[in-house]
């Protein structure tokens, strides 16, 4: 990756390099569009039937560290893989980030439950709790998008535990696509859920669809603890340390607003700079 410092302008990144790194990201907040055929593709479905009205008290533990068995009527899976994924995410992340990934799971489940969508709870949980590993310094690469870094870290975690390849692929896609809501919501429910849940916690999109009681229980179990400023700091860190990873990514707009002479070209720059004699 090019070294980028103050005083460098967009010309420091060649068009060829920029185009190699480019990949479009859908704007968060797109409508939920999982088709019935995709809903039916869920594997080993563990839906919330019989659980929604059975709200276990927070003191009722699942054995996953200090995680409750359920929050707002949404069960937190207690399989060995789920427990190990939660422990891995907790150890790697700050408390603020860990609470975000847990809220992402719970909000995503709440949205799918309201729509009567069946999904694989273990897959959804593992993907959700591991979805932001790419923001953690230990799992960052010099140039990849943070979503890909996170997906790759999750893949390594799952492969080490001999999880079947088809399940690993679902988790990889869920994490890699979680900021691309317009794409993720056209995929299978576990992939859509991570995008919807993390997007809701990030921007508040669809918050009105979560019953107030459920929302309050989720926020009480996993408080935000300054999430907005923490997320902004993470975004700016990515913009400063590996700006090319934000090319054609919503995070680039944050870099342009806060970092003088931010060197990443806009989509318009790429278009008008294409080597064609129009």
């Amino acid at each position: 990756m090019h070294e980028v410092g103050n005083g460098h302008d967009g010309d420091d990144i060649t068009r060829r390099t920029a185009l190699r790194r480019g990949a479009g990201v859908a704007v968060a907040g797109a409508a939920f569009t999982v088709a019935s055929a995709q809903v039916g593709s869920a594997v080993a479905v563990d839906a919330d039937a019989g659980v929604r009205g059975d709200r276990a008290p927070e003191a009722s533990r699942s054995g996953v560290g200090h995680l409750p068995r359920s929050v707002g009527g949404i069960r937190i899976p207690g399989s060995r893989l789920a427990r190990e994924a939660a422990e891995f995410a907790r150890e790697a992340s700050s408390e603020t980030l860990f609470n975000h990934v847990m809220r992402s799971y719970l909000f995503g489940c709440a949205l799918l439950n309201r729509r009567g969508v069946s999904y694989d709870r273990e897959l959804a949980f593992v993907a959700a709790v591991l979805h932001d590993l790419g923001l953690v310094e230990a799992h960052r690469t010099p140039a990849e998008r943070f979503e890909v870094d996170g997906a790759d870290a999750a893949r390594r975690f799952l492969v080490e535990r001999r999880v079947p390849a088809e399940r690993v692929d679902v988790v990889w896609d869920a994490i890699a696509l979680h900021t691309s809501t317009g794409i993720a919501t056209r995929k299978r429910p576990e992939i859509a859920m991570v995008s919807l849940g993390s997007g809701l916690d990030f921007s508040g999109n669809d918050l009105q669809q979560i019953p107030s009681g459920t929302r309050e229980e989720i926020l009480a179990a996993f408080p935000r603890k300054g999430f907005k400023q923490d997320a902004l700091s993470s975004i700016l860190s990515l913009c400063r340390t590996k700006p090319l990873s934000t090319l054609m990514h919503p995070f680039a707009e944050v870099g342009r607003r806060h970092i003088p002479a931010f060197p990443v070209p806009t989509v318009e720059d790429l278009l008008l700079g294409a080597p064609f004699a129009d």
Side-chain angles (χ1 to χ4, degrees):
M1 187 178 82
H2 295 300
E3 284 291 325
V4 179
N6 289 338
H8 289 198
D9 58 25
D11 291 335
D12 289 328
I13 297 177
T14 67
R15 294 190 187 98
R16 178 174 297 178
T17 301
L19 288 169
R20 274 206 308 268
R21 301 300 310 153
V25 177
V27 176
F32 177 55
T33 55
V34 175
S36 58
Q38 294 164 328
V39 169
S41 69
V43 180
V45 170
D46 180 9
D48 277 319
V51 177
R52 296 180 194 177
D54 179 21
R55 299 193 174 190
E58 186 176 349
S60 183
R61 304 299 180 186
S62 66
V64 187
H66 298 294
L67 296 185
R69 290 178 179 170
S70 69
V71 177
I74 300 164
R75 190 164 66 79
I76 294 174
S79 68
R80 179 176 179 179
L81 180 63
R83 294 196 307 271
E84 290 182 354
E87 296 284 354
F88 185 71
R90 192 197 296 276
E91 291 174 5
S93 309
S94 67
E95 183 181 8
T96 300
L97 184 60
F98 180 74
N99 284 359
H100 161 65
V101 300
M102 288 301 303
R103 291 193 305 271
S104 296
Y105 166 75
L106 294 165
F107 281 138
C109 287
L111 290 173
L112 264 61
N113 292 346
R114 284 179 63 83
R115 294 167 170 84
V117 177
S118 296
Y119 55 93
D120 183 314
R121 189 189 308 279
E122 182 185 69
L123 272 183
F125 180 80
V126 169
V129 297
L130 300 181
H131 86 265
D132 268 346
L133 289 176
L135 295 177
V136 177
E137 188 67 34
H139 299 293
R140 289 189 191 183
T141 63
E144 293 287 359
R145 292 165 62 110
F146 90 94
E147 303 96 329
V148 173
D149 282 345
D152 286 345
R155 182 191 294 278
R156 291 191 294 272
F157 170 86
L158 296 173
V159 168
E160 287 173 2
R161 286 154 182 79
R162 299 183 180 180
V163 174
E166 62 273 16
R167 295 177 71 76
V168 175
D169 288 344
V170 173
V171 172
W172 195 97
D173 285 352
I175 297 173
L177 293 173
H178 81 266
T179 61
S180 301
T181 309
I183 299 173
T185 54
R186 301 298 296 271
K187 304 285 281 183
R188 56 182 287 162
E190 300 80 15
I191 296 171
M193 188 278 283
V194 177
S195 182
L196 291 166
S198 61
L200 187 158
D201 195 57
F202 185 90
S203 68
N205 184 62
D206 282 339
L207 184 60
Q208 72 282 359
Q209 296 192 34
I210 308 297
S212 60
T214 300
R215 181 170 66 243
E216 290 167 4
E217 288 193 42
I218 292 172
L219 292 173
F222 299 100
R224 290 180 65 84
K225 292 185 175 290
F227 173 70
K228 292 179 182 178
Q229 286 303 312
D230 188 77
L232 179 59
S233 295
S234 294
I235 293 170
L236 287 171
S237 175
L238 293 173
C239 289
R240 291 189 179 103
T241 60
K242 49 178 190 177
L244 279 178
S245 72
T246 70
L247 180 69
M248 297 179 70
H249 191 293
F251 287 3
E253 296 306 312
V254 181
R256 293 188 186 99
R257 174 177 291 184
H258 292 275
I259 300 174
F262 186 63
V264 178
T266 65
V267 174
E268 181 183 10
D269 293 333
L270 295 175
L271 172 65
L272 298 181
F276 300 104
D278 287 21

